[in-house]
Amino acid sequence: VIRDLLAHHLTAVQQFAGDLLLNHETLAANPPVEVLRQLLEANHESVRGIGVRIVSGLPDDVLARSIDLLILLVRSEHEDVRANIRPTIVRLASSDPQFGRNIVFQLVEALLVPGAPEGVPTATAALLRDDLRTYLDEIPAEMVWKLLQSRSAPAQAIGGVLPRTNTDGAAPSVPRMVQ
């Protein structure tokens, strides 16, 4: 029934389906993947918001194991999804340093992949710079150079805050500095 309601063309009906799921004792804690996908990919911000609330309400250990899902949400084409999942990412990174290191490494790698929707690289860089900066110190020197050489301004910006802390104090060669 929830799937049928989510497929309805009226936003209010989709919201009702999301509310049913959100308030369901069993389904809110273990939502079917296709139902969660329908919520998160909905055309309406209010319906997507319910999907993010369901994801954010999952236990931290489940979320920490669902890093691929969190990366997708952080890099969603929908600005509201990115904004709504950000506090959850910050909370998880604060409580689990290994999660923080893992997600930062994956987000830095994602900055190097061209073709992200408009606004995603800038939002990713802001999350890294403003909320996950502590974990950037563990990015290897080679990755810093890749960021600096990227054609993406947000990737270059992240690379620009790292050289002093991530190059092991070794001065780069003159050709590399010129690059």
Side-chain angles (χ1 to χ4, degrees), residues 73-89:
L73 296 177
V74 166
R75 298 193 41 85
S76 170
E77 66 180 299
H78 302 289
E79 183 179 349
D80 58 288
V81 171
R82 295 190 306 260
N84 289 333
I85 200 63
R86 190 171 177 166
T88 301
I89 300 296

Side-chain angles (χ1 to χ4, degrees), residues 5-161:
L5 294 172
L6 283 171
H8 198 277
H9 68 280
L10 291 176
T11 304
V13 174
Q14 293 175 9
Q15 287 175 323
F16 177 66
D19 288 338
L20 286 174
L21 187 63
L22 187 60
N23 293 310
H24 193 280
E25 189 174 319
T26 306
L27 293 177
N30 191 15
V33 174
E34 62 275 1
V35 171
L36 193 55
R37 181 177 290 125
Q38 277 183 285
L39 285 168
L40 294 169
E41 293 176 354
N43 291 328
H44 306 283
E45 182 177 340
S46 60
V47 179
R48 290 191 303 266
I50 293 170
V52 172
R53 283 178 41 207
I54 290 171
V55 170
S56 296
L58 294 173
D60 285 358
D61 63 316
V62 171
L63 288 172
R65 291 189 312 265
S66 305
I67 198 164
D68 292 337
L69 169 64
L70 296 173
I71 294 286
L72 285 173
L73 296 177
V74 166
R75 298 193 41 85
S76 170
E77 66 180 299
H78 302 289
E79 183 179 349
D80 58 288
V81 171
R82 295 190 306 260
N84 289 333
I85 200 63
R86 190 171 177 166
T88 301
I89 300 296
V90 173
R91 183 188 82 230
L92 289 169
S94 296
S95 67
D96 182 354
Q98 186 59 45
F99 172 83
R101 286 188 287 277
N102 290 342
I103 199 158
V104 162
F105 189 79
Q106 288 190 31
L107 289 172
V108 167
E109 283 185 331
L111 277 176
L112 295 170
V113 178
E118 185 176 335
V120 170
T122 301
T124 301
L127 174 65
L128 289 166
R129 182 188 59 245
D130 299 340
D131 298 322
L132 302 172
R133 176 67 179 95
T134 304
Y135 301 105
L136 283 172
D137 292 341
E138 297 183 34
I139 298 298
E142 259 330 289
M143 184 72 75
V144 173
W145 292 113
K146 286 180 183 177
L147 288 165
L148 290 169
Q149 294 170 354
S150 171
R151 291 181 183 216
S152 163
Q156 291 174 357
I158 292 299
V161 299

